[in-house]
Amino acid sequence: MMRQNSDIHRVVEISSISSGDENNDKSKRASYFMVFGSASIVAFLPLFYESKMRIENVGILVFLAVLVSTLFTPLWGALLDIFISRVRSGTIHRTVLVFTILATGVSRFCLQFFDNFDILVIMSTLAAFFVSPVVPTLDTLLVYSLNDPERYGYYRVYGSLGFASFVLIVSLLVEIGEDSELVFPMWTCLILSLISALSILKAPFVEIAEIAVKDFESTSHASKRSRLFREACNLLCSSSTQVEFWVVCIIVLLSGTLNGIVETFLLIYLRTELKASFLNMGLCRAVCALCEIPTFTHSATCLRWFGVRGSMVVALIA
């Protein structure tokens, strides 16, 4: 009798653990789905800008946003490291992630209220500043929460699904509602940003700042002050890594430039030259997002076949 009770207790315990893991997976998947869903407004921003200004000014706005995002992404990371070393906070990454998601949603939502180019530059730059740490911080929280980091692609797939889904939904709403001023994308971004923030707060991500705090506490005060500086200098000046580092930087610059040109002017071309409907344009961007899924689901296979460098070459050629 005692043995039967023990077996029943063990089955219940295993079931509760499995249920907890399943709920944890759902909340993490929901976080990626909603965060990238809120980013679906990026597909409509060039059209929004083009409706308010000349085409050359659209390129300026997008370039400034990309530049700000590129410059401030590593600075956000450095600020997080400094904050950890001084305040010893274990929740800083989650707090920053929630704040920047909400700030990005509000900044992009407010774009619809301005027609002046200078104000649009300020608002779009502000949105780029806030959005720059979102994906790196979310990825970091996820990777530290996984027992097997190779499962990252399994969760990232839901980001592509979220982007594709909401691009289609919003384009359908714009088409049905004849929303020439593109108000629906703005409201969708704001609402999804709120839902994303709630998902991040609920998701059981590991508070990675606690791990970093222990690393800082195990080093001397001098090391704490100069750690980031030494690592940056070693990366930039070491003869063994200098060539590889700058080659990677050039590759990232070229691929980012090509991708930025396509994403910025693709929908404008479809709308002005091919007279495509908003639904067809949304379908086009949704297909582009869904094409990312094989990369995430078969990344390990690609690395085994081509290696890291070979995979980068294949991606650039494609």
Side-chain angles (χ1 to χ4, degrees):
M1 185 70 178
M2 292 180 62
R3 183 175 181 180
Q4 289 179 348
N5 292 335
S6 176
D7 292 340
I8 292 174
H9 177 73
R10 186 176 303 171
V11 170
V12 172
E13 183 178 356
I14 293 174
S15 300
S16 63
I17 292 174
S18 300
S19 177
D21 291 341
E22 184 178 353
N23 291 332
N24 292 347
D25 277 352
K26 286 182 178 179
S27 57
K28 292 174 183 176
R29 294 197 300 265
S31 297
Y32 269 84
F33 189 85
M34 291 301 173
V35 168
F36 280 85
S38 66
S40 61
I41 189 179
V42 174
F44 300 95
L45 282 180
L47 289 173
F48 171 78
Y49 293 146
E50 193 266 341
S51 67
K52 292 180 175 292
M53 62 190 70
R54 294 177 299 178
I55 189 67
E56 55 267 25
N57 290 336
V58 175
I60 295 174
L61 275 178
V62 175
F63 168 74
L64 290 175
V66 173
L67 179 63
V68 169
S69 182
T70 303
L71 292 176
F72 281 95
T73 297
L75 292 180
W76 273 104
L79 288 174
L80 287 174
D81 288 339
I82 293 172
F83 190 93
I84 290 169
S85 65
R86 294 180 180 275
V87 183
R88 306 288 197 274
S89 173
T91 60
I92 181 62
H93 287 82
R94 191 190 298 265
T95 303
V96 168
L97 183 56
V98 169
F99 169 74
T100 51
I101 287 174
L102 293 175
T104 301
V106 172
S107 300
R108 286 174 170 170
F109 176 77
C110 292
L111 288 171
Q112 62 183 308
F113 302 117
F114 304 105
D115 294 322
N116 183 273
F117 176 72
D118 295 332
I119 298 179
L120 285 174
V121 167
I122 295 173
M123 295 303 300
S124 63
T125 302
L126 191 63
F129 169 75
F130 286 125
V131 80
S132 57
V134 170
V135 174
T137 306
L138 180 60
D139 287 344
T140 304
L141 284 171
L142 176 66
V143 170
Y144 272 84
S145 301
L146 297 176
N147 294 326
D148 182 10
E150 291 187 0
R151 282 179 57 82
Y152 164 79
Y154 166 75
Y155 292 93
R156 181 57 180 80
V157 163
Y158 287 88
S160 298
L161 291 175
F163 186 93
S165 299
F166 284 105
V167 162
L168 280 176
I169 293 172
V170 173
S171 61
L172 182 60
L173 291 175
V174 171
E175 187 73 26
I176 294 175
E178 298 181 354
D179 180 23
S180 59
E181 296 184 357
L182 298 177
V183 174
F184 284 125
M186 305 298 179
W187 277 101
T188 303
C189 177
L190 181 64
I191 294 171
L192 292 181
S193 296
L194 294 173
I195 299 175
S196 299
L198 293 176
S199 300
I200 297 297
L201 291 174
K202 181 182 177 182
F205 291 117
V206 174
E207 302 299 354
I208 61 175
E210 296 177 358
I211 302 173
V213 167
K214 293 179 181 179
D215 291 340
F216 274 102
E217 289 178 345
S218 64
T219 58
S220 65
H221 291 287
S223 298
K224 293 175 186 177
R225 290 192 299 268
S226 58
R227 177 177 174 180
L228 296 176
F229 178 75
R230 291 201 315 272
E231 290 179 355
C233 289
N234 288 336
L235 180 62
L236 294 174
C237 302
S238 175
S239 58
S240 60
T241 61
Q242 189 177 25
V243 175
E244 290 83 355
F245 173 77
W246 289 112
V247 168
V248 170
C249 287
I250 293 172
I251 292 174
V252 170
L253 177 64
L254 292 175
S255 61
T257 301
L258 295 174
N259 186 58
I261 292 173
V262 172
E263 290 189 351
T264 301
F265 297 104
L266 174 61
L267 295 192
I268 295 178
Y269 173 76
L270 292 176
R271 185 66 175 171
T272 58
E273 300 295 330
L274 302 183
K275 309 301 180 184
S277 65
F278 279 102
L279 183 58
N280 288 334
M281 290 188 290
L283 181 61
C284 180
R285 285 306 307 268
V287 170
C288 292
L290 293 176
C291 287
E292 299 175 350
I293 292 179
T295 303
F296 298 124
T297 56
H298 297 85
S299 56
T301 303
C302 292
L303 290 175
R304 285 197 302 269
W305 285 1
F306 305 108
V308 176
R309 296 186 180 184
S311 298
M312 294 174 66
V313 171
V314 170
L316 287 172
I317 293 174

